[in-house]
Amino acid sequence: MSDLAPHLLFLLALAAFLAGFVDAIAGGGGLITVPAMLIAGIPPLQTLGTNKVQSVFGAASATIAYARKGHVNLRDQLPMALMAVMGGALGAALATIVPGDVLRAIMPILLIAIAFYFALKPNLGDVDKHRRITPFAFGLTLVPAIGFYDGVFGPGTGSFLMLGFVSLAGFGMLKATAHTKLLNFGSNVGALAVFVSFGAILWKVGLMMGVCQFLGAQLGSRLAMRIGAKLIKPLLVIVCIAFTIKLLSDPANPLRVWLGV
């Protein structure tokens, strides 16, 4: 941390605060923090590991805020959160052998599909709808699968969880956001444990950013609870589109390479 210039530390602190704010509402905090750490000169592996440190702070902050207002019951959702922990740990452990190019290629397509779903789907509000899958089946299949993805790659995890909660579990937007933060916390903890074992953590940077993200998440979650779906829905669409633009702006993105553009 002492090797980073003061202006870079300020950049990282600001990025973490903004990431916490956005992530608490619609997910996508990694879109802000990961590029910021790379710009600051932190190596890629340490960037991924350190990002999990500060992400845990943000997800925990938002989860606490939502739980205090009764939008998520931590005790009832503990088994599902543990499945997310397992998925995140397994994903991080197997990250070296999972075809990362395939994930980076399909991510823009999936994110655009999610953006269209939330933008065009009528009657998306804060009231729960018809449930298409039981909580047991949801926690046993979709949660560890998305947690695994979070450990392997990460970007878009919150969007995938939101899609699952709204379209399959029948949750309203605010309730889905609250539960997404809890499960995202779980997958972050699982992945972080693996990164710690590999020594890929810059603790001082991660903890400094973690405090800033905690504060940003407090502000974002309170704003989301005050405004509800009217804020969450458009911001989720914007985050998905921003993720897609960010991924496709890289000339080395496998999808661009395969299409020759």
Side-chain angles (χ1 to χ4, degrees):
M1 186 170 178
S2 59
D3 294 333
L4 294 177
H7 72 280
L8 293 178
L9 292 176
F10 177 77
L11 167 69
L12 294 178
L14 179 60
F17 181 85
L18 292 175
F21 176 81
V22 173
D23 201 72
I25 301 172
L31 177 67
I32 301 172
T33 54
V34 170
M37 283 190 277
L38 292 174
I39 290 171
I42 299 175
L45 181 60
Q46 282 71 29
T47 289
L48 293 177
T50 305
N51 186 59
K52 287 302 177 188
V53 175
Q54 58 98 36
S55 294
V56 165
F57 276 77
S61 175
T63 299
I64 292 170
Y66 287 123
R68 282 178 175 173
K69 295 298 183 179
H71 296 293
V72 56
N73 187 309
L74 299 182
R75 181 175 297 179
D76 289 348
Q77 298 303 317
L78 181 59
M80 199 176 291
L82 292 176
M83 294 300 294
V85 172
M86 293 172 55
L90 183 60
L94 299 182
T96 57
I97 62 175
V98 170
D101 284 350
V102 174
L103 290 174
R104 286 192 293 271
I106 65 175
M107 269 296 296
I109 300 172
L110 293 177
L111 287 171
I112 285 294
I114 292 173
F116 271 105
Y117 176 85
F118 283 102
L120 302 178
K121 178 73 172 178
N123 302 322
L124 280 179
D126 294 322
V127 179
D128 291 357
K129 303 294 184 180
H130 176 68
R131 188 173 62 197
R132 294 183 174 87
I133 187 173
T134 65
F136 178 79
F138 187 86
L140 197 63
T141 57
L142 199 65
V143 170
I146 297 178
F148 175 83
Y149 164 79
D150 191 26
V152 174
F153 193 52
T157 299
S159 301
F160 294 143
L161 286 171
M162 282 288 291
L163 179 64
F165 276 124
V166 171
S167 63
L168 297 178
F171 284 11
M173 294 291 287
L174 181 56
K175 184 178 178 181
T177 301
H179 284 70
T180 290
K181 292 302 100 188
L182 173 62
L183 299 189
N184 213 174
F185 171 75
S187 62
N188 281 331
V189 168
L192 176 60
V194 174
F195 283 119
V196 169
S197 69
F198 281 94
I201 308 290
L202 300 180
W203 284 106
K204 291 182 178 179
V205 174
L207 292 174
M208 181 272 292
M209 294 181 69
V211 171
C212 295
Q213 179 150 167
F214 185 95
L215 296 174
Q218 283 290 306
L219 180 61
S221 57
R222 292 178 184 182
L223 189 61
M225 286 185 284
R226 185 179 306 160
I227 302 178
K230 292 180 180 179
L231 172 67
I232 298 171
K233 179 179 175 180
L235 192 55
L236 181 63
V237 173
I238 292 171
V239 166
C240 287
I241 294 174
F243 259 127
T244 302
I245 294 173
K246 176 66 176 62
L247 290 169
L248 293 180
S249 66
D250 182 5
N253 183 277
L255 186 61
R256 289 186 58 175
V257 173
W258 295 342
L259 296 177
V261 297

